[in-house]
Amino acid sequence: MGQCGVISSKTVLVFLNLFFWAAAGILCYIGAYVFITYDDYDHFFEDIYTFIPAMVIIAVGTLLFVIGFIGCCATIRESRCGLVTFSAVLLLVFATEVVVVVLGYIYRAKVEAVVNHSIQKVYNEYKGTNTDAPSRAIDYVQRQLHCCGIHNYSDWMNTHWFIESKNNSVPVSCCKPIISNCTGTLMRPGDLYPEGCEFLVVKKLKDIMLYVILAALTFAAIQMLGLLCACVVLCRRGHDPDYELLVSTGIDA
């Protein structure tokens, strides 16, 4: 009965190590997605420290590739040194993911304040040309999030671009896609997105950080299961004189 328990623990551990390889790819994808998405909104969010959770997630994902390899070899060969190393590294990764969760919550709480501070500046730097980075950023956000202005389209009336252009219109990126020949004129407000961009940008960035937090929590819980199984295998190996290798047990069967 005890030996069956050990075999079961080892089998679960092997499958967990295979899962770690898949998890590594998922974590690297999430980290890359955060980087790419934040790059689209970087003019609205100037705090570079917000990238720290994403960088840590990518580092953890890379480390999980190594952990999966070490864990599989150590489990099948029943190398005590390998299992101890595996457990130690897994514990380190677990602690790192706890840090990611904490940082994620901290930076998620800061998103609204940082966006509120920077968005007015970005809109004032709008020039309406594709060669201008702030202009491209605003047009991209308004098209992607279906929004116009900071709180609504009337915010454009206070920008330098609107005052200097003197054409009583907002950028065409404010136009609803279903409206043909939209020029952004304020004479036809029904052609424009009614919602402002500030709330939607904050929501988008908060959602991204929430994905990071949930991913870190999920994989941290699974890693604790892997750590528990490794400890069970180590303890049984040291105290059970009749303990046999998983490989030989499978052959004998």
Side-chain angles (χ1 to χ4, degrees):
M1 181 71 176
Q3 188 174 351
C4 291
V6 176
I7 293 173
S8 177
S9 297
K10 290 165 66 178
T11 304
V12 171
L13 190 54
V14 169
F15 279 110
L16 280 174
N17 285 311
L18 295 176
F19 174 80
F20 288 157
W21 283 334
I26 295 173
L27 288 176
C28 288
Y29 171 81
I30 292 174
Y33 172 75
V34 172
F35 270 110
I36 293 171
T37 306
Y38 267 50
D39 184 59
D40 295 330
Y41 297 87
D42 60 350
H43 286 83
F44 302 93
F45 202 85
E46 299 174 348
D47 190 351
I48 61 173
Y49 296 106
T50 308
F51 287 101
I52 292 178
M55 290 188 289
V56 175
I57 280 288
I58 292 176
V60 168
T62 303
L63 191 57
L64 279 179
F65 277 111
V66 180
I67 291 176
F69 178 76
I70 294 175
C72 279
C73 293
T75 304
I76 293 174
R77 294 177 178 274
E78 295 188 4
S79 167
R80 182 177 181 81
C81 179
L83 284 172
V84 170
T85 302
F86 169 77
S87 301
V89 176
L90 201 58
L91 186 60
L92 175 63
V93 171
F94 174 80
T96 304
E97 288 180 332
V98 172
V99 172
V100 169
V101 172
V102 173
L103 290 176
Y105 273 110
I106 292 174
Y107 291 124
R108 190 171 185 268
K110 292 174 60 178
V111 164
E112 186 169 0
V114 175
V115 171
N116 291 347
H117 175 75
S118 61
I119 195 168
Q120 183 66 60
K121 175 185 174 183
V122 177
Y123 270 82
N124 281 329
E125 292 175 349
Y126 186 85
K127 293 181 174 59
T129 60
N130 288 330
T131 57
D132 181 59
S135 299
R136 290 198 307 271
I138 289 175
D139 287 335
Y140 173 84
V141 167
Q142 291 190 152
R143 288 193 178 98
Q144 290 295 313
L145 300 183
H146 297 173
C147 58
C148 183
I150 299 174
H151 302 102
N152 54 58
Y153 63 83
S154 65
D155 293 320
W156 277 104
M157 299 172 66
N158 301 318
T159 63
H160 299 312
W161 174 82
F162 182 90
I163 296 171
E164 293 172 1
S165 63
K166 298 180 180 180
N167 58 8
N168 197 38
S169 64
V170 297
V172 293
S173 57
C174 283
C175 294
K176 298 176 182 177
I178 59 174
I179 305 297
S180 60
N181 301 321
C182 177
T183 61
T185 177
L186 292 179
M187 299 297 292
R188 300 182 60 181
D191 295 352
L192 311 176
Y193 293 123
E195 193 167 3
C197 294
E198 182 180 45
F199 171 78
L200 295 177
V201 169
V202 170
K203 182 178 183 299
K204 180 72 172 181
L205 296 175
K206 282 189 172 183
D207 287 346
I208 293 170
M209 196 58 66
L210 182 62
Y211 298 153
V212 172
I213 292 171
L214 293 177
L217 283 173
T218 301
F219 291 118
I222 295 172
Q223 285 162 19
M224 282 303 295
L225 178 59
L227 186 62
L228 178 63
C229 290
C231 290
V232 169
V233 172
L234 278 172
C235 291
R236 291 297 180 89
R237 186 180 186 276
H239 295 89
D240 190 349
D242 297 325
Y243 185 78
E244 297 180 6
L245 291 175
L246 178 61
V247 175
S248 62
T249 301
I251 293 174
D252 293 340

